[in-house]
Amino acid sequence: MYIYADESGHSGRHIFNEPLFYFQGAIISEIDTEPLLNEVAEKYKFELGVDRLHANEIKPHLVERIATSFLDLLENIKWVFHLTVIEKPYLSVTKFVDSLFDSYENKGARWLWYNHEFFRHTLCILFDDLLFEEDKKNFWDYYLKDDFTGIRSVINIVLQRLDLISVDKRLHQVATEGLNFALKYPDEITLLASQTKKSYKEHTPNMVAFSSLIQAVHKFCKENNTKPKAFVHHSQSEFGSTMREYHKIFQKFRLEHNSSGLGLQVDQVDYDLGQFSLAMSKQIVSLQAVDIFLWLSQRNDKIANASLKNKLLDVTESFYISRLSSEIIARGWLYKLSKCDVSDEQIDEGKKTIEKMEKIHFEKIGDFLEKQ
């Protein structure tokens, strides 16, 4: 199988700069799409008098025409268009939760509230409300500098606001206890963004998206019993070496969300991710096709051809990080719960489980305090 990837909305560490959304697109295919797309691409390049097909330089109705031709050619092979969309400022919120509520580090954070996606996203929504734009910018700056003194100032602001708003009693308790524990025991919180000159890169939209792409490749391999041969990303200077490192580190590990919403399942695979390379889109037709699909995905509501819109949607697998995606995940779990036929016995058993988890939580805190 072959992977061709490109990006739009590049930001690096500057997640509050326009545009506020980062997009990454990739063709993941059972065969090499280069020879398949090359002839029709050459025809359009000759017709337009250009040396590459770049959506921003082509009139929209022609972009749609080219995309339709590409999709028609790909119709009879197994492939997906993997799309990652990241609301860049929201990364500051997710890092706030990841840094301060990881229950393996913060003994005051409830295990379930960090390790189940419903509760984790509920925390993200809460702190997105409590952190104003300036607070998010300040936290992100302190986070990249590993500056806990600065982070402490943001936590204190959040705690003050938390006491002033009406919020679910349990949510208030979990948030307050977790933040106060972090304030009291800052050495338990791991901050590594400034460990080396390039370590900040791992936390940027670019590398978060690249990580999601690697797992999408593993998913395709599992579903189609294939192994990667080539992995090509559009050339760019800032993240090239970090992408190579990620490609090497994560090529043997497939991560999957548990259907219960609890954590991730990690499986070791018996293949690697193929040869990784960075290339200019001018030389790679498949990267030009990714650019076309990515441009259309960003303007989905403006696609005039309804058939094209549906065709592109049918082959797109999406991964989102945003306030809206957190809300959708949380609402999805509430809807799923509302449809469950829960017996009185199961409710009683659930209460016992909660009591057991609370006991374990406080025993863990007690053991920690004894060692201090």
Side-chain angles (χ1 to χ4, degrees), residues 298-317:
Q298 292 174 259
R299 299 159 180 80
N300 182 60
D301 58 334
K302 296 180 181 178
I303 297 177
N305 186 331
S307 176
L308 169 62
K309 183 185 294 189
N310 292 332
K311 279 185 177 181
L312 185 57
L313 186 63
D314 286 343
V315 296
T316 299
E317 291 186 353

PDB file of all heavy atoms in Angstrom, residues 298-317:
ATOM      1  N   GLN A 298     -12.007  21.592   2.708  1.00  0.00           N
ATOM      2  CA  GLN A 298     -12.043  22.826   3.485  1.00  0.00           C
ATOM      3  C   GLN A 298     -13.214  23.715   3.076  1.00  0.00           C
ATOM      4  O   GLN A 298     -13.612  24.601   3.845  1.00  0.00           O
ATOM      5  CB  GLN A 298     -10.737  23.609   3.313  1.00  0.00           C
ATOM      6  CG  GLN A 298      -9.533  22.923   3.946  1.00  0.00           C
ATOM      7  CD  GLN A 298      -8.251  23.652   3.618  1.00  0.00           C
ATOM      8  OE1 GLN A 298      -7.485  23.251   2.749  1.00  0.00           O
ATOM      9  NE2 GLN A 298      -8.000  24.748   4.317  1.00  0.00           N
ATOM     10  N   ARG A 299     -13.729  23.497   1.879  1.00  0.00           N
ATOM     11  CA  ARG A 299     -14.815  24.334   1.343  1.00  0.00           C
ATOM     12  C   ARG A 299     -16.009  23.465   0.952  1.00  0.00           C
ATOM     13  O   ARG A 299     -16.682  23.717  -0.043  1.00  0.00           O
ATOM     14  CB  ARG A 299     -14.311  25.104   0.115  1.00  0.00           C
ATOM     15  CG  ARG A 299     -13.148  26.033   0.442  1.00  0.00           C
ATOM     16  CD  ARG A 299     -12.340  26.378  -0.789  1.00  0.00           C
ATOM     17  NE  ARG A 299     -11.224  27.265  -0.488  1.00  0.00           N
ATOM     18  CZ  ARG A 299     -10.072  26.864   0.030  1.00  0.00           C
ATOM     19  NH1 ARG A 299      -9.871  25.574   0.303  1.00  0.00           N
ATOM     20  NH2 ARG A 299      -9.107  27.724   0.293  1.00  0.00           N
ATOM     21  N   ASN A 300     -16.256  22.458   1.747  1.00  0.00           N
ATOM     22  CA  ASN A 300     -17.272  21.461   1.421  1.00  0.00           C
ATOM     23  C   ASN A 300     -18.634  22.083   1.132  1.00  0.00           C
ATOM     24  O   ASN A 300     -19.348  21.651   0.216  1.00  0.00           O
ATOM     25  CB  ASN A 300     -17.396  20.458   2.572  1.00  0.00           C
ATOM     26  CG  ASN A 300     -18.392  19.357   2.277  1.00  0.00           C
ATOM     27  OD1 ASN A 300     -18.245  18.614   1.323  1.00  0.00           O
ATOM     28  ND2 ASN A 300     -19.418  19.267   3.110  1.00  0.00           N
ATOM     29  N   ASP A 301     -18.988  23.121   1.892  1.00  0.00           N
ATOM     30  CA  ASP A 301     -20.299  23.742   1.714  1.00  0.00           C
ATOM     31  C   ASP A 301     -20.390  24.574   0.440  1.00  0.00           C
ATOM     32  O   ASP A 301     -21.472  25.010   0.050  1.00  0.00           O
ATOM     33  CB  ASP A 301     -20.644  24.616   2.922  1.00  0.00           C
ATOM     34  CG  ASP A 301     -19.609  25.709   3.160  1.00  0.00           C
ATOM     35  OD1 ASP A 301     -18.447  25.519   2.765  1.00  0.00           O
ATOM     36  OD2 ASP A 301     -19.970  26.756   3.729  1.00  0.00           O
ATOM     37  N   LYS A 302     -19.238  24.794  -0.228  1.00  0.00           N
ATOM     38  CA  LYS A 302     -19.230  25.606  -1.444  1.00  0.00           C
ATOM     39  C   LYS A 302     -19.080  24.764  -2.710  1.00  0.00           C
ATOM     40  O   LYS A 302     -19.006  25.311  -3.813  1.00  0.00           O
ATOM     41  CB  LYS A 302     -18.105  26.638  -1.366  1.00  0.00           C
ATOM     42  CG  LYS A 302     -18.292  27.653  -0.242  1.00  0.00           C
ATOM     43  CD  LYS A 302     -17.160  28.659  -0.212  1.00  0.00           C
ATOM     44  CE  LYS A 302     -17.351  29.656   0.932  1.00  0.00           C
ATOM     45  NZ  LYS A 302     -16.235  30.636   1.015  1.00  0.00           N
ATOM     46  N   ILE A 303     -19.011  23.444  -2.563  1.00  0.00           N
ATOM     47  CA  ILE A 303     -18.898  22.581  -3.738  1.00  0.00           C
ATOM     48  C   ILE A 303     -20.213  22.623  -4.519  1.00  0.00           C
ATOM     49  O   ILE A 303     -21.277  22.294  -3.981  1.00  0.00           O
ATOM     50  CB  ILE A 303     -18.565  21.130  -3.339  1.00  0.00           C
ATOM     51  CG1 ILE A 303     -17.204  21.068  -2.642  1.00  0.00           C
ATOM     52  CG2 ILE A 303     -18.571  20.218  -4.561  1.00  0.00           C
ATOM     53  CD1 ILE A 303     -16.826  19.687  -2.149  1.00  0.00           C
ATOM     54  N   ALA A 304     -20.130  23.045  -5.757  1.00  0.00           N
ATOM     55  CA  ALA A 304     -21.346  23.196  -6.571  1.00  0.00           C
ATOM     56  C   ALA A 304     -21.888  21.853  -7.044  1.00  0.00           C
ATOM     57  O   ALA A 304     -23.098  21.665  -7.168  1.00  0.00           O
ATOM     58  CB  ALA A 304     -21.048  24.099  -7.769  1.00  0.00           C
ATOM     59  N   ASN A 305     -20.995  20.903  -7.326  1.00  0.00           N
ATOM     60  CA  ASN A 305     -21.375  19.593  -7.846  1.00  0.00           C
ATOM     61  C   ASN A 305     -21.764  18.673  -6.690  1.00  0.00           C
ATOM     62  O   ASN A 305     -20.905  18.189  -5.954  1.00  0.00           O
ATOM     63  CB  ASN A 305     -20.203  19.014  -8.644  1.00  0.00           C
ATOM     64  CG  ASN A 305     -20.572  17.714  -9.355  1.00  0.00           C
ATOM     65  OD1 ASN A 305     -21.423  16.964  -8.906  1.00  0.00           O
ATOM     66  ND2 ASN A 305     -19.901  17.457 -10.471  1.00  0.00           N
ATOM     67  N   ALA A 306     -23.055  18.409  -6.532  1.00  0.00           N
ATOM     68  CA  ALA A 306     -23.539  17.586  -5.416  1.00  0.00           C
ATOM     69  C   ALA A 306     -22.995  16.163  -5.494  1.00  0.00           C
ATOM     70  O   ALA A 306     -22.676  15.549  -4.468  1.00  0.00           O
ATOM     71  CB  ALA A 306     -25.065  17.565  -5.414  1.00  0.00           C
ATOM     72  N   SER A 307     -22.886  15.637  -6.689  1.00  0.00           N
ATOM     73  CA  SER A 307     -22.361  14.288  -6.871  1.00  0.00           C
ATOM     74  C   SER A 307     -20.907  14.201  -6.399  1.00  0.00           C
ATOM     75  O   SER A 307     -20.507  13.234  -5.745  1.00  0.00           O
ATOM     76  CB  SER A 307     -22.459  13.883  -8.345  1.00  0.00           C
ATOM     77  OG  SER A 307     -21.862  12.619  -8.558  1.00  0.00           O
ATOM     78  N   LEU A 308     -20.121  15.222  -6.738  1.00  0.00           N
ATOM     79  CA  LEU A 308     -18.728  15.271  -6.309  1.00  0.00           C
ATOM     80  C   LEU A 308     -18.643  15.332  -4.783  1.00  0.00           C
ATOM     81  O   LEU A 308     -17.828  14.641  -4.167  1.00  0.00           O
ATOM     82  CB  LEU A 308     -18.030  16.479  -6.923  1.00  0.00           C
ATOM     83  CG  LEU A 308     -16.643  16.831  -6.364  1.00  0.00           C
ATOM     84  CD1 LEU A 308     -15.666  15.688  -6.608  1.00  0.00           C
ATOM     85  CD2 LEU A 308     -16.135  18.132  -6.987  1.00  0.00           C
ATOM     86  N   LYS A 309     -19.484  16.160  -4.194  1.00  0.00           N
ATOM     87  CA  LYS A 309     -19.490  16.302  -2.735  1.00  0.00           C
ATOM     88  C   LYS A 309     -19.740  14.954  -2.071  1.00  0.00           C
ATOM     89  O   LYS A 309     -19.054  14.573  -1.112  1.00  0.00           O
ATOM     90  CB  LYS A 309     -20.559  17.306  -2.313  1.00  0.00           C
ATOM     91  CG  LYS A 309     -20.599  17.575  -0.815  1.00  0.00           C
ATOM     92  CD  LYS A 309     -21.757  18.484  -0.426  1.00  0.00           C
ATOM     93  CE  LYS A 309     -21.606  19.869  -0.973  1.00  0.00           C
ATOM     94  NZ  LYS A 309     -22.631  20.815  -0.418  1.00  0.00           N
ATOM     95  N   ASN A 310     -20.698  14.203  -2.581  1.00  0.00           N
ATOM     96  CA  ASN A 310     -21.029  12.899  -2.015  1.00  0.00           C
ATOM     97  C   ASN A 310     -19.915  11.877  -2.248  1.00  0.00           C
ATOM     98  O   ASN A 310     -19.604  11.072  -1.369  1.00  0.00           O
ATOM     99  CB  ASN A 310     -22.342  12.386  -2.603  1.00  0.00           C
ATOM    100  CG  ASN A 310     -23.537  13.203  -2.153  1.00  0.00           C
ATOM    101  OD1 ASN A 310     -23.525  13.792  -1.071  1.00  0.00           O
ATOM    102  ND2 ASN A 310     -24.577  13.259  -2.974  1.00  0.00           N
ATOM    103  N   LYS A 311     -19.321  11.925  -3.434  1.00  0.00           N
ATOM    104  CA  LYS A 311     -18.226  10.993  -3.740  1.00  0.00           C
ATOM    105  C   LYS A 311     -17.040  11.208  -2.813  1.00  0.00           C
ATOM    106  O   LYS A 311     -16.445  10.248  -2.319  1.00  0.00           O
ATOM    107  CB  LYS A 311     -17.774  11.173  -5.198  1.00  0.00           C
ATOM    108  CG  LYS A 311     -18.639  10.477  -6.236  1.00  0.00           C
ATOM    109  CD  LYS A 311     -18.017  10.617  -7.620  1.00  0.00           C
ATOM    110  CE  LYS A 311     -18.824   9.875  -8.666  1.00  0.00           C
ATOM    111  NZ  LYS A 311     -18.201   9.989 -10.023  1.00  0.00           N
ATOM    112  N   LEU A 312     -16.704  12.465  -2.592  1.00  0.00           N
ATOM    113  CA  LEU A 312     -15.573  12.772  -1.724  1.00  0.00           C
ATOM    114  C   LEU A 312     -15.886  12.388  -0.282  1.00  0.00           C
ATOM    115  O   LEU A 312     -15.033  11.832   0.428  1.00  0.00           O
ATOM    116  CB  LEU A 312     -15.238  14.257  -1.820  1.00  0.00           C
ATOM    117  CG  LEU A 312     -13.992  14.727  -1.058  1.00  0.00           C
ATOM    118  CD1 LEU A 312     -12.749  13.962  -1.498  1.00  0.00           C
ATOM    119  CD2 LEU A 312     -13.775  16.234  -1.264  1.00  0.00           C
ATOM    120  N   LEU A 313     -17.097  12.656   0.137  1.00  0.00           N
ATOM    121  CA  LEU A 313     -17.510  12.311   1.497  1.00  0.00           C
ATOM    122  C   LEU A 313     -17.475  10.796   1.711  1.00  0.00           C
ATOM    123  O   LEU A 313     -17.076  10.320   2.785  1.00  0.00           O
ATOM    124  CB  LEU A 313     -18.918  12.845   1.758  1.00  0.00           C
ATOM    125  CG  LEU A 313     -19.450  12.703   3.193  1.00  0.00           C
ATOM    126  CD1 LEU A 313     -18.585  13.504   4.156  1.00  0.00           C
ATOM    127  CD2 LEU A 313     -20.897  13.176   3.260  1.00  0.00           C
ATOM    128  N   ASP A 314     -17.852  10.035   0.705  1.00  0.00           N
ATOM    129  CA  ASP A 314     -17.909   8.576   0.810  1.00  0.00           C
ATOM    130  C   ASP A 314     -16.539   7.946   1.055  1.00  0.00           C
ATOM    131  O   ASP A 314     -16.447   6.873   1.665  1.00  0.00           O
ATOM    132  CB  ASP A 314     -18.519   7.964  -0.456  1.00  0.00           C
ATOM    133  CG  ASP A 314     -20.022   8.176  -0.532  1.00  0.00           C
ATOM    134  OD1 ASP A 314     -20.623   8.501   0.508  1.00  0.00           O
ATOM    135  OD2 ASP A 314     -20.593   8.031  -1.630  1.00  0.00           O
ATOM    136  N   VAL A 315     -15.478   8.583   0.566  1.00  0.00           N
ATOM    137  CA  VAL A 315     -14.143   7.995   0.708  1.00  0.00           C
ATOM    138  C   VAL A 315     -13.326   8.664   1.820  1.00  0.00           C
ATOM    139  O   VAL A 315     -12.172   8.308   2.041  1.00  0.00           O
ATOM    140  CB  VAL A 315     -13.350   8.082  -0.622  1.00  0.00           C
ATOM    141  CG1 VAL A 315     -14.028   7.250  -1.696  1.00  0.00           C
ATOM    142  CG2 VAL A 315     -13.180   9.529  -1.080  1.00  0.00           C
ATOM    143  N   THR A 316     -13.941   9.629   2.526  1.00  0.00           N
ATOM    144  CA  THR A 316     -13.209  10.392   3.541  1.00  0.00           C
ATOM    145  C   THR A 316     -13.384   9.779   4.927  1.00  0.00           C
ATOM    146  O   THR A 316     -14.504   9.487   5.352  1.00  0.00           O
ATOM    147  CB  THR A 316     -13.685  11.854   3.570  1.00  0.00           C
ATOM    148  OG1 THR A 316     -13.448  12.460   2.304  1.00  0.00           O
ATOM    149  CG2 THR A 316     -12.942  12.642   4.639  1.00  0.00           C
ATOM    150  N   GLU A 317     -12.254   9.569   5.596  1.00  0.00           N
ATOM    151  CA  GLU A 317     -12.245   9.194   7.011  1.00  0.00           C
ATOM    152  C   GLU A 317     -11.663  10.375   7.779  1.00  0.00           C
ATOM    153  O   GLU A 317     -10.545  10.798   7.512  1.00  0.00           O
ATOM    154  CB  GLU A 317     -11.405   7.938   7.248  1.00  0.00           C
ATOM    155  CG  GLU A 317     -12.020   6.675   6.675  1.00  0.00           C
ATOM    156  CD  GLU A 317     -11.239   5.431   7.061  1.00  0.00           C
ATOM    157  OE1 GLU A 317     -10.145   5.572   7.669  1.00  0.00           O
ATOM    158  OE2 GLU A 317     -11.701   4.327   6.750  1.00  0.00           O
TER     159      GLU A 317
END
